Amino acid sequence: MSFDFAARVERVEPSATLAISNKASELESDGVDVVDLSVGEPDFPTPENVVSAGQDAMAAGHTGYTPSNGIPELREAIASKLRDDGIDAESDEVIVTPGGKQALFETFQTLIDDGDEVVLLDPAWVSYEAMAKLSGGTLNRVDTAPYDFQLEPALEDLEAAVSDETELLVINSPSNPTGAVYSDAALAGVRDLAVEHDVTVISDEIYQQITYGVEPTSLATLQGMGERTVTINGFSKAYSMTGWRLGYLHAPESLVSQAAKLHSHSVSCAVNFVQHAGLEALEHTDEAVLEMRDAFRERRDMLADLFAEHDVDVPVGDGAFYMMLPVAEDDQEWCAGAIEDAHVATVPGSAFGSPGYARISYAASEERLREAVDRLAEHGYI
Ligand code: PMP
Ligand code: GLU
């Protein structure tokens, strides 16, 4: 039979990041050695103490449903972490979700009606566009590429885009896909616009702990922002826990109580023993986080140097584990060629709204990163 699909699913494409990583896995299963720099996933094992906490929780019988918004100890630990960051947070303003992605999804679904305007800063992580479209929103995009992906010089453009019609603005610092960490002055500019036009802002801080020599500011700490910011974070990146699926949102209680309806009717709750592992991660894992961060920093510097040796100047950010490599105008063709010929998987910048670049995730060993650059050079891609 032919299905009559809902318009909302027909409006979106599958995740480009996951699609390319699937393509890389397919080639690998055919015996091809692919250097996969596509999906953004730390290549470290989950820290041992976190694994043990998950196993212990499972063995202790924490295998049933939990309260929908999360176990009280974890919600309190998250609120306490947010207070350490300077956010005025209480545990009843937190929803624990299966991944930051679900927290974002619930936020879009809670706030965006058909025709509501969502403003994104390009290049923007692939799923924001899809989530906006799935909730019926219309997109208004501001390009930071002309400003080396920094927000401060793009503030005038943002000011031109944000109006009383804007419902939601998405800020992601440190940024996927650029690695940019926005300055306090840039965030103050965001605050001024959000307050002036009464806009809700998502501050996606999932890469917060992966920064190099800078301390990122949480948007909700700025005066006037606590009441209009949804802070998103999670465990995937900082603690190398992508497959555990654990994240959260923090927002004013009025928003949380609406989002909680979606949460309870869709996922019920995040996995019980995973929440216990998350508690351990938050409370006792600082050292492992720092070790991973140092490794990412070394890889970033090494990779930028290797590209420089080939006269390719890559704008390098102070956070996350991504960089945007300037490539041919037709970035899709470039990426398709790079994976087919050089067996190096990257994601076209156009998937993030910025053609002419390929996103590289440097969450790979130094040896594999060298191999990637060698192969790209050998096949004439750089
Ligand atoms: N936000 C950004 C910017 C991301 O790159 C990711 C990566 N998957 C997420 C949110 C969601 O991550 P997760 O669902 O694994 O917590
Ligand atoms: N956020 C990661 C990335 O951008 C993981 C894949 C995804 O969720 O899109 O590659």
Side-chain angles (χ1 to χ4, degrees), residues 22-139:
N22 290 346
K23 164 93 184 153
S25 306
E26 251 172 57
L27 282 172
E28 294 215 299
S29 65
D30 291 343
V32 179
D33 172 41
V34 178
V35 184
D36 186 0
L37 308 183
S38 64
V39 77
E41 175 164 42
D43 56 324
F44 301 102
T46 302
E48 264 172 41
N49 60 315
V50 178
V51 173
S52 300
Q55 287 169 334
D56 291 350
M58 202 189 301
H62 294 298
T63 52
Y65 295 127
T66 71
S68 182
N69 288 355
I71 56 173
E73 330 60 307
L74 181 58
R75 292 175 85 199
E76 181 45 46
I78 289 168
S80 162
K81 179 234 176 274
L82 293 170
R83 286 194 293 272
D84 289 346
D85 294 340
I87 299 176
D88 184 13
E90 297 296 334
S91 59
D92 61 358
E93 298 163 344
V94 171
I95 303 182
V96 178
T97 53
K101 210 178 234 183
Q102 175 71 16
L104 285 161
F105 190 78
E106 289 175 10
T107 306
F108 276 90
Q109 290 290 320
T110 300
L111 291 170
I112 300 304
D113 270 325
D114 276 347
D116 283 349
E117 183 184 90
V118 178
V119 173
L120 297 183
L121 293 171
D122 278 343
W125 178 49
V126 292
S127 293
Y128 301 139
E129 173 180 341
M131 290 184 198
K133 287 183 175 169
L134 285 168
S135 33
T138 58
L139 287 159

Side-chain angles (χ1 to χ4, degrees), residues 324-338 346-359:
M324 289 288 263
L325 177 69
V327 298
E329 207 175 310
D330 189 341
D331 54 306
Q332 312 231 18
E333 194 182 82
W334 189 95
C335 289
T346 58
V347 186
S350 49
F352 303 87
S354 291
Y357 294 89
R359 187 195 74 173

